[in-house]
């Protein structure tokens, strides 16, 4: 699912970028090479990172960056 329409990234991309322990919202954007524009996606990115900290995202691979 698309998380950010302004920058065109998905929840899978956020999970891969946020896979490192203690990863921040800002680090996810940097990893994806984008900056928040309207900011509506920031809470969703934060929620996904919280899921990842719970171990939910451990099995997501780099192929999440492949076009859908």
């Amino acid at each position: 699912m698309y998380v950010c329409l302004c920058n065109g990234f998905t929840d899978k991309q956020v999970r891969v970028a946020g896979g490192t322990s203690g990863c921040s919202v800002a680090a996810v954007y940097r990893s994806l090479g984008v900056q928040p524009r309207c900011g509506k996606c920031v809470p969703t990115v934060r929620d996904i990172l919280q899921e990842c900290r719970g171990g939910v995202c451990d099995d997501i691979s780099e192929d999440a960056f492949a076009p859908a």
Side-chain angles (χ1 to χ4, degrees):
M1 151 183 87
Y2 276 93
V3 170
C4 178
L5 296 179
C6 297
N7 291 303
F9 62 80
T10 66
D11 60 321
K12 289 182 182 180
Q13 290 172 298
V14 172
R15 292 176 203 286
V16 170
T20 59
S21 178
C23 191
S24 68
V25 172
V28 168
Y29 285 94
R30 279 193 302 274
S31 175
L32 295 173
V34 299
Q35 294 180 334
R37 293 184 186 176
C38 74
K40 290 181 181 179
C41 57
V42 172
T44 304
V45 171
R46 189 175 296 121
D47 290 344
I48 292 169
L49 288 176
Q50 287 179 330
E51 287 176 14
C52 289
R53 288 183 187 116
V56 175
C57 304
D58 291 342
D59 61 345
I60 303 296
S61 66
E62 291 294 329
D63 65 345
F65 289 101

